[in-house]
Structure formats: C-alpha cells, structure tokens
Amino acid sequence: MTSQAPMTEAMYYILLALTKPGHGYGMMQRIKELSGGRIEMGPGTLYGVLSRMNKEGLIQLTSEENRRKNYTITDAGIHALHLEYNRLKQLVADGRILEEES
C-alpha cells in the first residue's frame, strides 16, 4: 500500500459523496445519508475542503451555473479514497485485540 497522510473525516466523506458527481448542497445531504445522520457538514467546512481538494487534484469542478458549482472525483481522488479505506480497515483489524482482551 502506498503511504499517504491520513485523511480528515471531512475529506473522506466528501470523496465518498463525490463517487456520484454533485454540487455543494447535494453533497451535504449525501454525507448526512452516508454517515447515517452522524455527520452534518456545514458549508464553511465543505467549501474549504472542496477548494483544497480541487487544488490537490482529488476533485475537479465540472460546471458552474449561477452560484451552483458541480464537482466530480478524479482518478487521483478515487485512488486516494481507496488507500484511505484500506488504511481504516487495517486500523479496525488491528483493534480486534481489544475484543480478545474482554
């Protein structure tokens, strides 16, 4: 597995949400849905992270109509998302020791 810095929870869920291209408000709704209502991401967090990920090439702006910007995940974003998913799975697997100690 290629090494990368761990993603923030916001980054991870934005990339998950963008497995289906969308706009900001739609992403906020999808993140809430994907997290089972656990995460309600505000616009300040969302747009700050979108700007950063766009600069890093993980997502790209696909269109802009009025004030609605539509984004999609890039191949680099998909790769980073899979790396993070595998990292998280390994953390859970490593943590099974806690169940054995009970």
Side-chain angles (χ1 to χ4, degrees), residues 1-2 15 19 23 25 29 36 47 49-50 55 59 61-62 64 67 71 79 83 86 90 92 96:
M1 177 168 76
T2 304
L15 289 177
T19 57
H23 55 83
Y25 180 75
Q29 295 303 315
Y47 290 108
V49 175
L50 285 174
K55 288 177 188 171
I59 64 170
L61 181 65
T62 56
E64 188 171 354
R67 293 183 51 178
Y71 294 90
H79 181 69
L83 287 175
N86 288 328
Q90 187 62 54
V92 171
R96 287 193 183 113

Side-chain angles (χ1 to χ4, degrees), residues 24-39:
Y25 180 75
M27 277 185 264
M28 288 188 285
Q29 295 303 315
R30 185 145 161 77
I31 289 166
K32 185 175 180 179
E33 175 188 314
L34 288 168
S35 70
R38 188 176 59 82
I39 298 173

Side-chain angles (χ1 to χ4, degrees), residues 5-97:
M7 283 185 189
T8 65
E9 190 173 50
M11 289 177 68
Y12 183 75
Y13 276 96
I14 289 169
L15 289 177
L16 275 180
L18 284 175
T19 57
K20 294 182 180 176
H23 55 83
Y25 180 75
M27 277 185 264
M28 288 188 285
Q29 295 303 315
R30 185 145 161 77
I31 289 166
K32 185 175 180 179
E33 175 188 314
L34 288 168
S35 70
R38 188 176 59 82
I39 298 173
E40 291 192 44
M41 192 173 297
T45 299
L46 178 74
Y47 290 108
V49 175
L50 285 174
S51 176
R52 178 176 156 211
M53 290 194 310
N54 191 37
K55 288 177 188 171
E56 292 174 357
L58 300 175
I59 64 170
Q60 66 184 17
L61 181 65
T62 56
S63 67
E64 188 171 354
E65 302 164 17
N66 298 323
R67 293 183 51 178
R68 181 175 283 188
K69 294 179 180 181
N70 292 292
Y71 294 90
T72 191
I73 190 170
T74 63
D75 288 343
I78 291 168
H79 181 69
L81 182 58
H82 281 276
L83 287 175
E84 182 66 3
Y85 176 70
N86 288 328
R87 187 187 74 80
L88 293 171
K89 284 193 324 186
Q90 187 62 54
L91 287 175
V92 171
D94 293 346
R96 287 193 183 113
I97 191 172

